[in-house]
Amino acid sequence: AIADRLELDDHTTMAAAAAAIPSNVAVIAISDGAPPGKPNPVNALGAPVRRFLQASLRGALDDPSVGAIVLIGRPDGRGAFSAGADIKEFSGGDDADGGVTTSEPGGAPTLNDLAHVIERSPKPVVAALSGACLGGGMELALAAQYRVADDALRYGLPEVRIGLVPGAGGTQRLPRLCGARHALDVIVRGRIDGTAREGLKFGFLDGVASKEESLPECAARWASWASSLPAVTLESRRLRGRSVPPDGEGIEDGDMCDFALQSLPPRDKGGESAHACLEAIRASFELPSFDEGMEVEKSLFNDLLYHSLQGRAYRHIFFAERASSSSSGGKKNAAGNQLARGKGAVGVIGAGTMGRGIAISFLRAGFGPVTLVDVNPKGLEAGVRYIRSVLRGEVEKGRLPASKLKATLSRLRSSAALSGLADCDLVVEAAFENLGVKRDIFSQLDAIVRKEDALLLSNTSTLDVDAIASSLSPGRRGRCAGMHFFSPAHVMRLVEVVRGRETSPEALDVVRAVAKRIGKVPVVVGNCDGFVGNRMLHPYTTESALLLVDHGGGEAGLGVSDVDAALGPKRFGMAVGPFVMSDIAGNDIGYNIRREKGLVRDPKTGEVGQNRKQIRYTEMVDDMVEKMGRVGQKAKKGWYNYDPKVGKGRTPLPSSEMQALVDKYSRNSPQRGTKLGEEDIVHRVLFPLVNEGFKILEEGIASDPSEIDIIYLYGYGWPAWRGGPMFWADNSVGLSKLLSKLDEFHAMHPDSEYFRPSKLLRTCASMGVGVQEYYKNGRAKELKNAVKSKL
């Protein structure tokens, strides 16, 4: 009945909108071009839609009763105008059926073809904009003679984010309409948040619907008025005939571009598309004609589409993120549907760094009440104080409307007892990383939480989710999973959704939906030590330290900063190097994990950890924590020293104490005091990380290489322009080289199991295919039959 009412309301609204349109105004709704049975909620401009628009425009232009045309997203004006081109048409590097720049006889028109028809139309075209007006959608709007909108509009040209430039005239028309300053801001930054108010200010919009009229009514009013204008007026509205207007502050356009250039990343560090955007905008005012500028845009677009590895990496991430967040199709119960809509009571156990960040994430998204629980009253008080401080800070920074602060804070509760979570729909445990502690908490939750369909989730980063779930009664285990946030949880976007042996598909779908609702990128992973991200991190951090033991010592030897420099933002491109990362996270975390695993020497008895066995290991990293207290930034000392007066205590400074420790542990190494080249450091540290990714795929812990790439992009600071570790191995390194180097390293260090090449890697290398191609072609099914998947 509700669905029938909604459908009736939609038809009623559309009928009312149609009744308000004058008879001489043709309305073309982009949504009407979607093929039957293929929903197109954001009005992506794929080939079928472009064919529809071409036919509709021709029909309106040929109809003598039509005096003006309105181009709108939906007939009722609601929803998106268009989120832009169908990016899938770019993924194969073939747009022969009418992509953006090329078309074939009988094929679908390109976006440029449509923009040309709209701009050259002898009848005025009014673009009525609401919701998303992005990329190719905005480029079509720029071709119209007039643009009106409602307050829901969000416009932008984000092509730079997928390694391209706008390819349907955006780099030439937007500067001519709004000036080079706004064009640089929108195009080079890849903005998607332009508002109606901003559009009016910079001249992108001609009008905004008043509160008394709908968007279709506003557009019809403009179209009816424009239909009586003389041809010379319409000609003046065609942007191809305009020059770029002078800047309002008197700055020369070339100087403005030079200034923007200073803030761009280098071309070889992810900046190819940004530099190309700048070059295309320059063409809009440096070349004598619109057509010459369009040729520059087309050349840059095609070069990036067909020849840029960075562009392929960006688009790989674009599709991988959407695939990782998609539902498995499980049925959602009532509570699940409520949680997916951002409603429901949430409990967070633990008021430490992780718990605080998790609570902030849920409060921001509108969940409530959100109850923070900690048995330590002082810790609980500090956690609540921190949450309030962060949310007030977000108001000051303009990220949270001041009008919503009071309501947001009112949904925060605190309790020193788990009994305060009795009525929760979802509970996230973020207590100390100890299996016994977590099992005890879940055993208590089993008796306390009243709702049988409540989700009971653990933020564990390494522990066995099945062991935690076993503390619950059998009927609840299907609603138990891992929800592994990354620190700081209110900043980092990644969430690993860990599927236990008994976790139901329905529960996984709800957790994924909740993660998306709170602004995270969820990736479902299997249950093993460290899951995906931290399991791969182990060889990365371990080998980084062992490099110092092998090659450090003295002024000539490899130093902490040498390793960080090779892997950091100015070289390989990681957000930070491994040692800075460890200092930020806390070196005590790794130490406690090693101690739990029985690897650390007992400080009282001096006995070696019972599980160390024959593995390549250094006690240097244990000594720096146990004996020297160098746990990281929070102690003002870790791998580096930190001074509160320098960079707010976050700038890494050299430590003579750490250098002495490296000297001590490298004393007996045959390679002591020898530098390694940056490429050698990258190989020694990142190749075993990638190899672990192959083993994770082998074991079914991850179901696709792209999921590993997403985890490392959003959780560990992998540079997006390299596409993720698995994409990098396929496309930059080459699997034959990877295999050869791993064989070499394993021969050198047979006690480092992470150097032993994966069977899957050997298979792909012998077949001459990349791992992504191996999965894309369905060959991984054979692997799944051979190895029982953890998913």
Side-chain angles (χ1 to χ4, degrees), residues 425-548:
D425 299 290
L426 180 151
V427 177
V428 181
E429 167 274 312
F432 183 68
E433 191 76 348
N434 177 278
L435 184 58
V437 171
K438 293 181 184 290
R439 282 173 54 85
D440 179 62
I441 289 172
F442 274 75
S443 179
Q444 294 183 61
L445 290 175
D446 194 32
I448 290 170
V449 178
R450 296 190 181 100
K451 298 178 181 179
E452 294 182 359
D453 58 354
L455 286 169
L456 303 180
L457 311 171
S458 175
N459 179 54
T460 179
S461 59
T462 58
L463 299 177
D464 186 348
V465 170
D466 290 328
I468 294 171
S470 69
S471 301
L472 298 171
S473 55
R476 281 194 186 270
R477 293 173 190 170
R479 306 284 293 169
C480 179
M483 193 175 190
H484 177 210
F485 289 80
F486 287 71
S487 184
H490 59 295
V491 176
M492 299 296 285
R493 292 189 63 197
L494 179 68
V495 168
E496 283 182 320
V497 180
V498 186
R499 180 174 192 165
R501 186 169 48 247
E502 298 182 62
T503 308
S504 70
E506 294 80 10
L508 285 178
D509 278 349
V510 176
V511 177
R512 261 195 291 219
V514 168
K516 290 170 67 177
R517 174 65 64 172
I518 62 175
K520 306 300 182 185
V521 178
V523 181
V524 175
V525 300
N527 181 29
C528 69
D529 183 16
F531 315 129
V532 171
N534 283 343
R535 176 172 164 180
M536 292 173 65
L537 192 67
H538 166 68
Y540 176 71
T541 55
T542 300
E543 191 59 28
S544 294
L546 287 168
L547 275 180
L548 298 179

Side-chain angles (χ1 to χ4, degrees), residues 265-345:
R267 288 181 187 271
D268 64 345
K269 295 291 185 291
E272 286 181 354
S273 57
H275 283 265
C277 285
L278 195 65
E279 187 177 339
I281 292 170
R282 279 190 189 275
S284 71
F285 59 82
E286 289 185 347
L287 297 183
S289 72
F290 176 85
D291 288 337
E292 288 173 283
M294 286 297 294
E295 283 301 313
V296 170
E297 180 187 271
K298 178 180 179 179
S299 175
L300 290 168
F301 180 92
N302 284 336
D303 184 53
L304 290 169
L305 178 63
Y306 297 117
H307 306 301
S308 170
L309 181 57
Q310 290 180 17
R312 285 175 52 207
Y314 283 128
R315 292 189 291 282
H316 167 74
I317 292 296
F318 176 88
F319 289 113
E321 180 180 337
R322 278 144 188 81
S324 72
S325 300
S326 63
S327 168
S328 66
K331 296 179 180 178
K332 302 178 183 67
N333 58 18
N337 281 317
Q338 174 180 275
L339 289 167
R341 294 195 303 271
K343 306 294 182 184

